[in-house]
Amino acid sequence: MIEFAAGLFAGLGATWARSRLRGRFARSRDEAGGVRGPGAHLLPDPALGWLLRASGAIGIWVTELNPEEEGPRAERMVDAERLSVAQIAAVDRRLEQARDQEQGGAEKMDGGTLVFRAAGGVAVGLLLPGGGDLPALATVERDLERLLDGVRHRPQVVALAQAQTHEASLESVGSVGLRLAYQLERSLNAEALVAARDANGVRVVGVSGRGDRRLLDVVLPAECELAMVATGAAPETRSVGDPLGAAVPDRRRRQGSAFLVPILVGRDAIGAVAVYLPGNEEPVGAAMAELREAVSNAGPRLSRALEGEVAKRVATTDPLTGLPNRRTVDEQLHRHGVQEGAMIHADLDNFKQLNDTLGHPAGDAALVHFARILREQVRGSDTPARVGGEEFAVWLPGASLELGMRIAERIRVKLATTPWDWKGRHWPLSASFGVAACPETNRSIENLPEQADAALYLAKNGGRNRVEAAGTTGGPTAGGGRGAGGRGGASGTGG
């Protein structure tokens, strides 16, 4: 990756040295329909402007199929004074066709000469003036190749950076998988996938630049060939079908065969690689030796990363409910850049009475039941957690006090109206809630847990089975405000 980035900047820098500035350029994104600033999805965004000016072009285009979005994504910078809307639209259509058919070349168009390259669902193009002193096409084509490579590899570069753990000495599973996939692609000139075995099954942890990035973190069907090799249920083999089964049903099936090699630690398989063979020819000689050495070296590193992943999960997860624990909530609360959000504290009502009457196994089952409701009722970006015996918290980043109150009320109603019994004996469950938010109830996120806890105390004293908002005055532990819900909690001692 470092070599690639250096090459991209070096190539564009050399072209820049040959260039002169000209024209005024407008930046747009098709689906937005308006002017916008540099986009984080391009690698690197300044390179677009450099390449545009260096070549004396009147427009530069990037279009790609993004699996995480509903439709194609396109970015262009054009000289709006020299191109009409119809001319821009014509280039858009031609590059979409080139992207879908993976074409490249140079063509005369109304407005200039379009030089373009496409591969792997991405197309890039430069529209050069129709006459005059044009830069050498070979130079432009070489720079476009580098830009195309950069856009295609950007998701993997980002994923690789994000895969690093806080401990510099410990690689993450994702970083090991991605490094191995890219190493195999470079050495064998072939698409490569890396899968690892964990408690949830066999999942894809590495995809090389030519691969389908939608496969990252996908759990493979247990009966597919790659999963069987990864678990040791099948030996090293050559697959002539699809070794991933129906992992991503709508992905385009590759033609040809794949070479499947287990990743071993001692005699135990902890994962596997799939290398799609160029020309359907198995690696031989030095290529085979490099493949085996790369896989062998990755085995111990992947094993350590998997062990570290388990240790981290144990340290940050409540073993009974499977929810994150207090440590995880604190980490999420103090993430860099988080400035607003809502905190919900919840406590099961009359929990001591439940334990005393039905026994501690029943109490544990009730906690698991409540945890399941929390997961179902919060947003995907929220963090529900068990922070004590019968105490729970939900951190809602970016949420207002009003939204926090609505979600707390939704959880309260769901719990109160969902029947629960223990060994045939019905027991009504309810919970009390306190909600605080930044900036509505406090100017500092640091104080939200104390405020939410104080509001929870008011909800308990106010009759249980209700939602209370923290007050906005009186310091970090001030509670009060408005309640939500009825006073229908069961009477009794505790909770």
Side-chain angles (χ1 to χ4, degrees):
M1 293 301 105
I2 294 174
E3 291 84 359
F4 158 70
L8 175 62
F9 279 100
L12 293 176
T15 310
W16 170 259
R18 301 188 297 268
S19 71
R20 54 195 174 91
L21 301 181
R22 63 171 71 173
R24 289 181 296 175
F25 296 90
R27 180 193 307 274
S28 67
R29 188 178 183 185
D30 284 354
E31 58 267 40
V35 176
R36 55 169 252 174
H41 62 284
L42 291 173
L43 175 69
D45 184 81
L48 292 180
W50 297 344
L51 182 54
L52 183 68
R53 294 185 291 267
S55 60
I58 52 180
I60 185 168
W61 279 258
V62 175
T63 177
E64 61 179 313
L65 291 173
N66 183 10
E68 298 178 358
E69 297 183 4
E70 292 184 359
R73 183 167 57 186
E75 181 102 358
R76 57 171 118 80
M77 297 174 65
V78 299
D79 186 342
E81 296 179 353
R82 299 171 66 183
L83 288 175
S84 68
V85 173
Q87 290 171 323
I88 294 172
V91 175
D92 288 346
R93 290 192 297 270
R94 181 64 187 96
L95 284 179
E96 288 172 3
Q97 181 185 28
R99 179 199 66 210
D100 295 340
Q101 299 179 7
E102 298 195 350
Q103 299 172 330
E107 295 180 6
K108 286 285 188 180
M109 299 194 69
D110 183 15
T113 300
L114 179 65
V115 186
F116 57 97
R117 286 288 181 273
V122 178
V124 296
L126 274 169
L127 187 64
L128 304 174
D133 182 21
L134 295 178
L137 283 181
T139 300
V140 173
E141 290 170 349
R142 184 171 63 250
D143 287 341
L144 278 178
E145 288 283 2
R146 287 174 172 153
L147 177 61
L148 175 65
D149 204 26
V151 176
R152 290 183 60 211
H153 284 75
R154 180 200 60 82
Q156 281 77 23
V157 174
V158 173
L160 183 58
Q162 292 175 341
Q164 304 300 323
T165 60
H166 295 298
E167 300 85 359
S169 61
L170 178 63
E171 292 179 284
S172 70
V173 173
S175 66
V176 175
L178 285 168
R179 288 179 189 277
L180 178 57
Y182 272 94
Q183 181 181 357
L184 295 176
E185 180 176 278
R186 287 195 303 271
S187 61
L188 302 173
N189 190 30
E191 177 186 332
L193 300 176
V194 180
R197 175 167 59 91
D198 60 20
N200 297 319
V202 177
R203 60 187 169 98
V204 177
V205 297
V207 178
S208 68
R210 300 179 187 177
D212 186 343
R213 59 182 180 261
R214 293 176 300 169
L215 289 168
L216 275 175
D217 291 324
V218 167
V219 176
L220 300 177
E223 67 277 4
C224 76
E225 288 182 281
L226 184 58
M228 294 181 68
V229 173
T231 58
E236 177 180 300
T237 186
R238 177 170 177 165
S239 171
V240 294
D242 185 352
L244 277 66
V248 177
D250 62 337
R251 86 185 165 94
R252 183 167 44 180
R253 294 293 188 267
R254 289 190 57 89
Q255 300 298 318
S257 58
F259 190 43
L260 310 182
V261 180
I263 302 174
L264 301 175
V265 174
R267 295 184 176 181
D268 298 327
I270 62 168
V273 300
V275 179
Y276 290 91
L277 306 170
N280 291 328
E281 295 182 359
E282 212 168 287
V284 295
M288 177 62 82
E290 190 166 354
L291 185 156
R292 295 200 184 283
E293 182 179 4
V295 172
S296 176
N297 290 338
R301 292 163 46 219
L302 182 59
S303 178
R304 288 193 297 270
L306 288 167
E307 291 172 359
E309 196 174 73
V310 171
K312 182 177 181 181
R313 189 181 305 118
V314 170
T316 58
T317 304
D318 172 54
L320 174 64
T321 63
L323 288 178
N325 59 16
R326 184 186 295 274
R327 172 182 170 181
T328 305
V329 175
D330 289 342
E331 289 176 353
Q332 293 297 316
L333 191 66
H334 296 95
R335 288 184 66 181
H336 177 70
V338 177
Q339 298 178 342
E340 297 182 358
M343 176 67 73
I344 300 172
H345 275 200
D347 193 292
L348 281 177
D349 296 329
N350 304 304
F351 189 68
K352 183 178 183 301
Q353 183 183 10
L354 187 159
N355 270 334
D356 291 344
T357 304
L358 301 180
H360 288 283
D364 289 348
L367 294 173
V368 171
H369 174 74
F370 187 39
R372 183 167 54 250
I373 288 176
L374 284 178
R375 287 194 195 93
E376 293 171 351
Q377 299 301 315
V378 301
R379 306 172 303 172
S381 58
D382 300 334
T383 303
R386 183 187 179 200
V387 296
E390 67 269 30
E391 301 167 11
F392 294 80
V394 183
W395 166 236
L396 304 94
S400 63
L401 177 64
E402 180 184 2
L403 178 58
M405 292 287 287
R406 288 207 311 268
I407 292 178
E409 173 64 6
R410 189 167 72 202
I411 297 168
R412 185 197 71 81
V413 171
K414 181 67 174 179
L415 177 65
T417 58
T418 301
W420 182 82
D421 65 76
W422 176 250
K423 295 183 177 180
R425 180 172 177 179
H426 175 71
W427 189 277
L429 293 177
S430 68
S432 301
F433 300 81
V435 186
C438 177
E440 292 94 329
T441 68
N442 203 288
R443 290 185 296 274
S444 173
I445 282 179
E446 300 277 346
N447 295 326
L448 294 186
E450 291 181 77
Q451 276 202 313
D453 208 46
L456 171 60
Y457 178 79
L458 290 179
K460 287 288 189 183
N461 285 349
R464 302 186 182 92
N465 192 22
R466 58 188 290 115
V467 178
E468 284 284 351
T472 58
T473 59
T477 58
R482 62 184 185 276
R487 301 174 178 267
S491 62
T493 59

